[in-house]
Amino acid sequence: MKYKKSWFCLLAAVLLFAVTMSWSGLASQQISPDAGHLRGKLLTHLIRQQMTVNHFSHKPLDDKISQAAFDLYIQQLDFQKRFLLESDIQQLSLYRNRIDDDIVRGNLELHKTGARLLRIRVNFVMNMIDDLLNKKFDFNKKDQIETDPEKIDYAKNSVDLKRRWEKILKYQVLMRYVQFLEERTGSGKNTAANEGKVDKILLNEAVQKVRRSTHHLLGRLLEETEQDHFERFLNAYVRAYDPHSAYLAPDALEDFEIYMKGSLEGIGATLREDDGFIRVVEIIPGSPAARQGQLAAEDIILKVGEGDREPVDVTETRLRDAVRLIRGKKGTVVRLTVRKPTGREQIIRLVRDVVEIEEGFAKSTTLPVPGKTGKHYGYLRIPSFYRDFSETRDGQSARNVTDDVRRELQLLVKKGIDGLVLDLRDNGGGSLSDAIDIAGLFIPKGPVVQVKDSEGEVRVYEDEDPGIVYGGPLVVLVNRFSASASEILAGAIQDYGRGVIVGGGGTHGKGTVQAIFDMDQPLAYGPLQKLAPLGALKVTVQKFYRISGGSTQVKGVVPDIQLPDRLAFLETGEKFIEYALPWDTTRRVSFKRWAQAPEVATLRHLSAQRVEKGHRFDAVVAETRRNAQRSRATLRSLNLNSVLRERTALQERGLEAETADHEVEAPLEHFSGKHLEEKVAQDLYVQESIAVLGDLRNQLAGHDCTLAGALSSR
């Protein structure tokens, strides 16, 4: 997102004023000469200024923000409720309505109290681990453990905490034992052969593995400093305004910059720290994770193993620490133990490589028109709205998605395609300017999106070129991971009536824009330079609106034709995220709809008939229903025979699901040419999109819908 020069000048003035005020204020308070204390006060002051002045919502720093920040801080402090007692939470709750006042005074105590209490409880747990593991667990007893922390309370006292850890360790030993058993006997063969039997050697090995990993986890927690807790608190405070604003500590900023540069040695996944877990947000197109195909968005990474070494538990771990474990030299192996959204755990082996984000270029192919010899539809996939801004700034020719899409469209038009499927699934967004330019390849000159800033000023962004590249029948394919710029493009196509939006449910609903503010920049002009680095602040400063007036925030884009969604059981998307900015509207702008806009109701009816009678999506519906049931069933058995039977059933079902996924919606990033055509031909959602294209062509048969002249001077 580009901002006016005057806006940057205003920001610089505000920031410089804030720093000047902080210098004079801090000097007058005769604070301690300790640099860390001074750094914390300055950082808190700068963040407060930025959030209250520049955040889109202009939320006041009051008790509401205080309560939200407190809840977010407690969640990340001990989300799984494995350490803190009810009395600890009561003690911390004294700060719930004080955070706003403490920030104004520059006297923060919550993170200090939180760090002290957590250290006490972690030491308590550390001292009892060996005794608990030395006891003989009874795996024939019918017992259960609740794995969803939201369904349990904090331990009432130390006795209750000890009982909780006894179950935690028993469950971990049981899972490790079953894993060893499967490795020895082969997956799916363990139930009949091993029910009622316990291999003492394997059990002892499982106990020792759990002992080492648990001590390692607790040791890491004890190594955390007060500064670590302070940075987490700041992030909780910033996230109280909205989930996409964040404080980036110096290490986290380094990680962010590496990602934005588009090159690192790793696996190619965007991660976030989410309530004590490391959650996968996005798989980068063209990366090792994309090529391997098993790691997916919404997976939770539980453990990270280097080669054949003992995996490290990364629950309750800082994101940057987890990222450092996952990264590594090209050609080395990393093993991720992940929990799928269904609750199933899986070990994924990945070979690290140099991840070039720009490898995920737009790709196209042609597919035969059913029943029409010599006729073809076009298929064009846009994995992200990529653009190398650094080369563009240097005046060099930089690769970008608009040029690539234009070139692919021109090739398809030359081949004489009779319709086009534009695939935006799993496209998390990127460059706004490219989303606007690509919309212009399909529509004449006109508005594409509206952007409102924090002052309420609305700016309309338009495609200013009256020419188009492709003017034929169009289907846009989306899913719940289509976000941001993808939603802008899909929304514009829908508003103009330029094509038909098809997908399994709505899009993600990310309709906000963030700006990165370097917290060190003001320090370069004054005596506080020695306090750098302070990191950076990511702040939500703008909001997207469709030209029809509705925001893409929360609601996203609702497909014209909704197909059975294999991920419908997932609570993913903006509407499920705490403190997300709300959906609202702005004024509608004037625009001219496409002359041959489709009759969506008719197309929707024909598609529903195919889905209902053709039975192609039956497996998707059945698997979604099973996954929804399993995701809600968070109680796990501590009985060996029960676990073995369940694991066998899951393994058999997992093979079925894997086969179904291959035919439903498989990764496309590393396929091209004929391979891409073969892959797309197996995708049920693409198949139905092709059928919709056939209906659309029949519907437009009475209109002048030829492609003659569709190729313009673009």
Side-chain angles (χ1 to χ4, degrees):
M1 187 69 187
K2 296 181 179 179
Y3 298 94
K4 296 179 181 178
K5 186 176 181 181
S6 60
W7 193 91
F8 275 120
C9 293
L10 175 62
L11 171 62
V14 170
L15 205 54
L16 188 58
F17 174 75
V19 175
T20 304
M21 292 299 292
S22 69
W23 289 341
S24 59
L26 291 174
S28 65
Q29 293 174 26
Q30 297 182 348
I31 63 170
S32 165
D34 178 72
H37 180 66
L38 177 59
R39 179 182 180 275
K41 282 207 166 192
L42 175 60
L43 186 55
T44 303
H45 180 81
L46 290 175
I47 291 177
R48 171 197 167 198
Q49 289 286 334
Q50 289 283 11
M51 297 307 297
T52 55
V53 172
N54 291 310
H55 191 270
F56 179 86
S57 67
H58 284 303
K59 293 178 182 177
L61 179 56
D62 56 13
D63 284 352
K64 277 191 175 182
I65 288 292
S66 180
Q67 292 160 10
F70 175 82
D71 292 343
L72 288 168
Y73 174 75
I74 294 299
Q75 285 176 15
Q76 59 83 27
L77 184 64
D78 183 23
F79 176 73
Q80 297 188 76
K81 300 173 183 174
R82 293 184 173 188
F83 301 105
L84 297 179
L85 306 180
E86 285 185 355
S87 58
D88 298 330
I89 300 300
Q90 291 171 1
Q91 183 176 347
L92 292 169
S93 295
L94 297 175
Y95 296 94
R96 193 164 191 267
N97 293 310
R98 285 177 40 189
I99 293 174
D100 54 329
D101 302 316
D102 290 347
I103 288 175
V104 171
R105 288 193 297 264
N107 184 27
L108 298 172
E109 295 294 333
L110 173 61
H111 68 283
K112 298 177 183 178
T113 306
R116 178 177 58 80
L117 290 174
L118 185 64
R119 177 173 290 274
I120 291 172
R121 302 310 173 198
V122 171
N123 272 311
F124 174 78
V125 172
M126 176 77 87
N127 291 331
M128 68 180 178
I129 290 300
D130 288 332
D131 288 340
L132 292 175
L133 285 172
N134 289 337
K135 295 172 60 177
K136 291 184 178 180
F137 294 121
D138 183 2
F139 293 118
N140 293 317
K141 182 181 178 182
K142 289 187 177 181
D143 198 2
Q144 294 178 314
I145 183 173
E146 177 58 69
T147 58
D148 185 351
E150 294 187 358
K151 296 180 181 179
I152 61 176
D153 297 322
Y154 289 94
K156 296 184 183 300
N157 48 49
S158 58
V159 175
D160 191 19
L161 185 62
K162 184 175 182 179
R163 282 196 295 262
R164 180 165 299 182
W165 269 94
E166 186 173 8
K167 280 194 174 186
I168 291 171
L169 295 172
K170 183 177 181 179
Y171 179 69
Q172 291 180 350
V173 169
L174 178 58
M175 291 298 99
R176 180 71 75 172
Y177 173 77
V178 171
Q179 177 193 333
F180 288 158
L181 199 60
E182 289 175 349
E183 291 173 354
R184 190 179 71 177
T185 62
S187 295
K189 300 178 181 179
N190 52 32
T191 301
N194 297 286
E195 275 199 29
K197 302 177 183 178
V198 175
D199 187 306
K200 293 183 178 180
I201 296 177
L202 286 185
L203 179 59
N204 181 65
E205 188 175 349
V207 169
Q208 297 311 316
K209 290 280 188 181
V210 171
R211 189 191 307 274
R212 287 194 294 271
S213 64
T214 304
H215 276 291
H216 186 80
L217 167 65
L218 299 177
R220 285 205 320 273
L221 291 175
L222 291 174
E223 290 173 358
E224 290 187 343
T225 65
E226 187 176 291
Q227 179 64 26
D228 294 326
H229 284 267
F230 175 60
E231 291 172 356
R232 283 181 175 176
F233 165 77
L234 289 178
N235 199 39
Y237 160 52
V238 172
R239 284 181 57 203
Y241 285 83
D242 88 293
H244 299 291
S245 295
Y247 167 62
L248 303 175
D251 287 344
L253 177 60
E254 179 184 352
D255 295 336
F256 179 82
E257 289 173 341
I258 289 173
Y259 173 77
M260 293 304 293
K261 288 175 184 176
S263 179
L264 65 150
E265 293 188 0
I267 63 172
T270 305
L271 311 175
R272 77 167 182 264
E273 192 174 337
D274 187 4
D275 295 334
F277 292 109
I278 305 300
R279 189 181 299 272
V280 178
V281 177
E282 177 187 9
I283 302 299
I284 299 172
S287 67
R291 292 194 294 269
Q292 200 265 0
Q294 291 182 319
L295 191 67
E298 295 301 315
D299 287 352
I300 290 174
I301 300 177
L302 302 175
K303 299 178 183 179
V304 179
E306 176 71 27
D308 295 327
R309 297 177 191 170
E310 176 67 17
V312 176
D313 190 326
V314 294
T315 57
E316 309 286 1
T317 299
R318 292 174 300 182
L319 177 61
R320 65 174 179 261
D321 292 335
V323 167
R324 284 170 178 164
L325 290 171
I326 294 170
R327 281 186 195 152
K329 293 184 179 179
K330 177 181 178 180
T332 58
V333 175
V334 61
R335 290 177 295 113
L336 306 180
T337 302
V338 305
R339 180 185 298 153
K340 293 290 182 178
T342 60
R344 179 170 63 95
E345 292 188 12
Q346 179 181 356
I347 297 177
I348 298 175
R349 183 181 182 276
L350 294 165
V351 179
R352 299 180 179 103
D353 200 351
V354 176
V355 181
E356 296 290 345
I357 297 175
E358 65 175 3
E359 285 183 9
F361 295 143
K363 296 182 178 68
S364 70
T365 187
T366 57
L367 300 169
V369 176
K372 302 285 185 180
T373 304
K375 297 288 187 179
H376 291 84
Y377 289 135
Y379 170 87
L380 174 58
R381 174 171 170 77
I382 305 179
S384 66
F385 291 88
Y386 50 86
R387 175 172 289 269
D388 190 336
F389 288 104
S390 61
E391 289 192 15
T392 302
R393 284 197 299 268
D394 294 339
Q396 303 175 20
S397 176
R399 186 160 193 176
N400 62 80
V401 65
T402 300
D403 290 343
D404 288 351
V405 169
R406 180 187 293 111
R407 182 175 57 253
E408 295 295 328
L409 280 177
Q410 290 171 342
L411 291 173
L412 291 172
V413 169
K414 286 180 180 178
K415 292 177 181 178
I417 59 172
D418 290 277
L420 175 69
V421 176
L422 180 64
D423 194 346
L424 298 179
R425 289 175 299 175
D426 300 327
N427 184 325
S431 167
L432 172 63
S433 62
D434 285 288
I436 296 168
D437 290 342
I438 290 174
L441 303 179
F442 299 98
I443 61 172
K445 180 179 179 180
V448 175
V449 66
Q450 304 184 77
V451 179
K452 181 189 288 187
D453 65 21
S454 61
E455 299 302 320
E457 181 181 346
V458 179
R459 179 178 177 183
V460 179
Y461 289 82
E462 299 191 10
D463 164 46
E464 299 179 351
D465 189 332
I468 61 174
V469 174
Y470 174 75
L474 175 66
V475 167
V476 180
L477 192 53
V478 298
N479 65 7
R480 62 182 58 238
F481 297 115
S482 304
S484 195
S486 295
E487 296 171 296
I488 290 171
L489 176 57
I493 295 295
Q494 190 176 58
D495 286 339
Y496 274 96
R498 175 61 187 88
V500 183
I501 312 299
V502 175
T507 58
H508 189 81
K510 201 273 187 182
T512 56
V513 185
Q514 286 71 44
I516 302 294
F517 300 114
D518 183 356
M519 305 299 284
D520 294 334
Q521 187 175 359
L523 306 189
Y525 304 103
L528 297 181
Q529 186 177 3
K530 63 182 180 180
L531 299 179
L534 297 181
L537 196 63
K538 184 170 66 155
V539 183
T540 295
V541 294
Q542 294 176 326
K543 202 171 182 180
F544 291 132
Y545 295 83
R546 293 167 60 158
I547 54 176
S548 54
S551 174
T552 56
Q553 174 65 10
V554 176
K555 289 188 177 182
V557 177
V558 179
D560 299 311
I561 296 175
Q562 296 191 43
L563 302 177
D565 186 357
R566 69 188 184 94
L567 300 176
F569 67 96
L570 286 180
E571 291 189 351
T572 182
E574 199 80 2
K575 63 183 177 182
F576 295 106
I577 304 178
E578 283 185 302
Y579 311 113
L581 294 183
W583 178 85
D584 62 348
T585 62
T586 189
R587 64 180 178 84
R588 176 189 177 96
V589 299
S590 176
F591 64 94
K592 185 178 180 180
R593 276 177 62 87
W594 188 249
Q596 295 86 33
E599 299 172 10
V600 172
T602 302
L603 299 175
R604 186 183 299 123
H605 176 70
L606 293 172
S607 177
Q609 286 184 320
R610 275 191 301 272
V611 171
E612 183 178 350
K613 296 179 180 178
H615 306 293
R616 290 185 301 171
F617 284 91
D618 286 357
V620 177
V621 174
E623 186 64 24
T624 300
R625 188 180 299 115
R626 287 194 295 267
N627 287 339
Q629 292 172 349
R630 175 154 180 81
S631 65
R632 290 192 295 266
T634 53
L635 278 173
R636 297 287 181 265
S637 176
L638 295 175
N639 177 274
L640 176 59
N641 292 339
S642 296
V643 170
L644 291 175
R645 286 191 292 269
E646 182 182 6
R647 294 279 289 190
T648 299
L650 280 174
Q651 288 156 3
E652 293 171 351
R653 190 179 301 162
L655 291 175
E656 294 173 3
E658 191 173 312
T659 303
D661 283 349
H662 181 69
E663 298 173 348
V664 172
E665 191 177 16
L668 303 171
E669 290 86 352
H670 59 292
F671 289 88
S672 60
K674 184 178 179 181
H675 295 292
L676 177 61
E677 180 180 343
E678 293 172 353
K679 204 74 175 175
V680 170
Q682 298 173 345
D683 190 315
L684 285 183
Y685 294 92
V686 176
Q687 291 175 23
E688 180 55 28
S689 297
I690 288 174
V692 172
L693 274 178
D695 295 338
L696 181 57
R697 283 192 60 82
N698 292 335
Q699 190 180 96
L700 299 176
H703 301 283
D704 182 14
C705 189
T706 62
L707 300 183
L711 183 61
S712 75
S713 60
R714 279 176 173 253

